[in-house]
Amino acid sequence: MCVNLIRGKVHGSMACAGKVRGQTPKVAKQDKKQPCGCAHKHIQYNRHSVTSGINSLIFLHLLCLFKHFFVH
């Protein structure tokens, strides 16, 4: 069984790394528009119900820990 150990180079060497990114001109970031329609409603729902529910659970957990350790 003969195995060919000499293989060709697949990609460029590390000396060429970042060549294309360095050549491209710098462009300023564009302003993002606000989502509208159901995407905006989805963000509102997550902001008002999901995260506030998690925060209230964390607050209740911390309150229980405080009562357990400091109030006797």
Side-chain angles (χ1 to χ4, degrees):
M1 187 167 146
C2 181
V3 178
N4 187 7
L5 296 177
I6 302 172
R7 298 182 185 195
K9 294 180 180 168
V10 180
H11 299 292
S13 66
M14 290 305 293
C16 299
K19 172 180 175 260
V20 175
R21 185 175 180 187
Q23 287 178 342
T24 54
K26 179 71 175 172
V27 179
K29 288 188 177 182
Q30 296 178 348
D31 294 333
K32 291 184 180 179
K33 68 178 185 69
Q34 292 289 335
C36 58
C38 59
H40 184 255
K41 291 291 183 185
H42 186 74
I43 292 171
Q44 274 185 331
Y45 171 76
N46 285 337
R47 188 184 307 141
H48 290 297
S49 62
V50 177
T51 56
S52 64
I54 292 171
N55 288 338
S56 64
L57 287 175
I58 292 171
F59 175 75
L60 290 175
H61 181 69
L62 291 174
L63 189 64
C64 289
L65 287 175
F66 178 77
K67 285 181 179 178
H68 179 73
F69 286 112
F70 297 111
V71 179
H72 282 293

